[in-house]
Amino acid sequence: MKKALAVLLSVLVAFSMFTVMTFAAGSTAEPTPITIKFVVDDTTVREIAVKDGEILTPYAPENPAKESTDTTKYTFAGWQAQDANGNVLDEKLYQKSTLPAPYLAEGETAKTIVYKAVFTEKDITGNQTFLQFIASIFERLNRLFEYFAEVFGF
């Protein structure tokens, strides 16, 4: 009985230490002066607050998509950095793993960086669907039969 009570008390002590440690770690949170927004077609997909120099890779959306139209297919090319007013900060396109860590410049107390998704466009008007392909085969067969009918006088 004494051993079971000792084990139970030691488990309770261990759990109480974890809760105190978690509470103490959360109480020293620093303010997050940098706001990062990920935007796709003027819609904010994700907005986060980070510390100076924090890595952005875990926060970036994996592979944003833009709905294709009947004539155009859109493919994600990368993220383009802009300031809060929409001015392009860097012409370079970043992928999720290559996003730079944000830093405050000397004298800045807060900053907003917007990463806008850039898409490449591909014209798909000349693409042929499977049904169009089958229809073109039957059209050619009909022409062939018309030719034989004309030659042999059917």
Side-chain angles (χ1 to χ4, degrees):
M1 182 70 178
K2 289 182 183 179
K3 288 182 182 180
L5 185 61
V7 169
L8 178 66
L9 289 175
S10 65
V11 169
L12 289 174
V13 168
F15 280 123
S16 67
M17 285 191 297
F18 287 126
T19 57
V20 169
M21 180 180 66
T22 305
F23 177 74
S27 66
T28 60
E30 298 176 15
T32 52
I34 302 174
T35 303
I36 305 293
K37 292 181 182 180
F38 294 96
V39 177
V40 177
D41 284 342
D42 299 325
T43 303
T44 302
V45 177
R46 185 170 291 161
E47 184 173 341
I48 56 170
V50 296
K51 298 175 191 167
D52 196 26
E54 189 171 347
I55 296 173
L56 298 178
T57 301
Y59 306 112
E62 188 65 37
N63 195 8
K66 183 175 180 178
E67 192 68 30
S68 296
T69 63
D70 292 339
T71 59
T72 308
K73 179 181 178 182
Y74 298 99
T75 305
F76 177 67
W79 297 103
Q80 186 177 48
Q82 300 178 350
D83 63 8
N85 299 325
N87 300 323
V88 176
L89 298 176
D90 189 2
E91 292 295 327
K92 184 177 179 183
L93 293 179
Y94 299 101
Q95 299 302 317
K96 179 177 178 165
S97 61
T98 62
L99 287 170
Y103 290 99
L104 291 174
E106 191 171 325
E108 284 184 321
T109 56
K111 181 188 238 181
T112 299
I113 300 174
V114 178
Y115 286 103
K116 186 168 184 172
V118 177
F119 295 93
T120 58
E121 297 179 0
K122 181 180 178 187
D123 184 23
I124 57 173
T125 54
N127 290 4
Q128 188 177 42
T129 65
F130 180 71
L131 293 176
Q132 290 172 335
F133 174 68
I134 297 298
S136 70
I137 290 174
F138 282 112
E139 183 180 336
R140 290 183 182 127
L141 285 174
N142 284 338
R143 287 185 195 163
L144 187 63
F145 289 137
E146 287 174 4
Y147 173 74
F148 285 136
E150 184 179 317
V151 168
F152 294 115
F154 291 126

